[in-house]
Amino acid sequence: MKLEIVSPEAVIFNANVDSVSVPGINGEFQMLENHAPIVSLLIEGVVKVHTHTQDHEEFSDLSGKLTKHPDDDKILVFPIKSGTIELKDNKVIILAD
């Protein structure tokens, strides 16, 4: 599944991932490959990007925005204040503040 995280300043992340967890207005939820289409508002919290089977990807240049989870270096975390998310046809776009 393709994930793109965009802030008002720049594209922060753009790569294939296994899944993504986000802080929705009704609680945290996770999206996997072939998830039903969804559009949702996001609240303050942490976006968790799971990259366990993406060994071919190089995540060393994260521009200081995303960091590796302290317990699992195949999970990248990105704090947000708010935002929106759209998932359609295995492409996730997060517009984050």
Side-chain angles (χ1 to χ4, degrees):
M1 155 169 80
K2 187 75 164 180
L3 171 64
E4 185 173 339
I5 302 175
V6 181
S7 75
E9 295 84 28
V11 174
I12 295 171
F13 184 81
N14 189 358
N16 289 319
V17 300
D18 296 327
S19 67
V20 60
S21 300
V22 294
I25 57 174
N26 293 321
E28 183 175 353
F29 63 97
Q30 182 178 40
M31 291 155 290
L32 302 165
E33 185 90 14
N34 298 319
H35 193 284
I38 188 170
V39 174
S40 180
L41 294 174
L42 302 176
I43 61 171
E44 186 170 1
V46 176
V47 173
K48 297 175 189 165
V49 180
H50 299 258
T51 63
H52 290 92
T53 64
Q54 305 301 320
D55 291 333
H56 64 282
E57 296 286 349
E58 178 58 52
F59 298 113
S60 61
D61 183 23
L62 298 174
S63 304
K65 302 287 184 181
L66 281 89
T67 57
K68 293 182 178 183
H69 192 279
D71 297 330
D72 187 342
D73 67 354
K74 291 288 190 169
I75 298 176
L76 305 174
V77 294
F78 177 64
I80 62 170
K81 294 181 183 174
S82 65
T84 59
I85 187 167
E86 177 185 25
L87 167 62
K88 182 178 178 186
D89 298 328
N90 285 322
K91 182 173 182 182
V92 180
I93 300 173
I94 297 176
L95 305 174
D97 290 333

